[in-house]
Amino acid sequence: MLRKHIAVDLGTANTLVFVQSQGIVINEPSVVAVDTINERIIAVGKEAKDYIGKTPQRISTIRPLRDGVIADFDAAQALIATFLKKVIGSWPIKPDVVICVPTNITDVERRAVAEAATKAGARNVKLIEEPVAAAVGAGLPVLEPVGSIVVDIGGGTTDIAVISLGGIVESTSIKIAGDKFDEAIIKYVRRKHNAL
């Protein structure tokens, strides 16, 4: 039996899970609902997003990633583990997993992400920076000795990187992205058309 390969794009707004030969199998919000009394995870993804604005005080909804960085380790681990368990299920062979991470996460955050995937049933876990994954997905010549510039606009951050010979030559990450764009549009419509 062939080993399965899974890719996870851990985003501020949404998390995508791709399975080789199946395509994208999960595309859900990066949201976790937690019971604050016993700190138990109640729901993850779409189900957790449905809780927003409709929960009693003891239940809080968390976005584990904020502005492109992991803001809540436990919630991020729960998110990764839940989605991977949903995909892996009862596969007889543990899969290899590649997880896209922001360029500016710390070594501690990297270990937390890898550990969450391993606990969920991954055999090998590799982490790849989001701009490199975006460049590969766009078909850019990332392994050649030429520079490719990538501007990856996510929900919380915009990553800008020059990629050559399979790695990042220079990069920066700014905390202006899709969420801020949405806020600006909402403010403009409110001010210009007096509408919410």
Side-chain angles (χ1 to χ4, degrees), residues 75-143:
Q77 285 184 315
L79 182 83
I80 295 165
T82 301
F83 287 154
L84 284 179
K85 283 178 184 170
K86 200 183 281 189
V87 172
I88 294 170
S90 59
W91 288 357
I93 296 176
K94 290 183 173 188
D96 293 328
V97 176
V98 174
I99 301 177
C100 295
V101 293
T103 53
N104 56 348
I105 69 169
T106 65
D107 289 339
V108 172
E109 290 170 324
R110 286 177 175 276
R111 282 193 297 276
V113 169
E115 186 181 311
T118 303
K119 284 182 180 176
R123 179 176 173 265
N124 292 317
V125 180
K126 299 274 191 249
L127 303 181
I128 182 172
E129 285 89 0
E130 289 171 351
V132 175
V136 170
L140 296 176
V142 294
L143 297 176

Side-chain angles (χ1 to χ4, degrees), residues 7-155:
V8 179
D9 180 8
L10 190 60
T12 303
N14 289 305
T15 297
L16 300 165
V17 179
F18 174 91
V19 177
Q20 188 179 17
S21 77
Q22 289 181 285
I24 295 172
V25 294
I26 291 178
N27 180 0
E28 294 195 27
S30 300
V31 180
V32 176
V34 179
D35 184 327
T36 57
I37 293 172
N38 59 18
E39 296 186 12
R40 191 174 58 88
I41 304 292
I42 296 171
V44 172
K46 288 177 190 168
E47 191 181 337
K49 188 172 184 186
D50 290 342
Y51 279 80
I52 296 175
K54 305 173 199 135
T55 61
Q57 284 185 326
R58 62 176 250 215
I59 297 173
S60 87
T61 50
I62 301 166
R63 286 179 74 177
L65 285 93
R66 243 176 270 123
D67 296 329
V69 294
I70 296 173
D72 186 314
F73 290 126
D74 295 334
Q77 285 184 315
L79 182 83
I80 295 165
T82 301
F83 287 154
L84 284 179
K85 283 178 184 170
K86 200 183 281 189
V87 172
I88 294 170
S90 59
W91 288 357
I93 296 176
K94 290 183 173 188
D96 293 328
V97 176
V98 174
I99 301 177
C100 295
V101 293
T103 53
N104 56 348
I105 69 169
T106 65
D107 289 339
V108 172
E109 290 170 324
R110 286 177 175 276
R111 282 193 297 276
V113 169
E115 186 181 311
T118 303
K119 284 182 180 176
R123 179 176 173 265
N124 292 317
V125 180
K126 299 274 191 249
L127 303 181
I128 182 172
E129 285 89 0
E130 289 171 351
V132 175
V136 170
L140 296 176
V142 294
L143 297 176
E144 294 178 21
V146 295
S148 297
I149 296 177
V150 174
V151 179
D152 180 13
I153 303 172

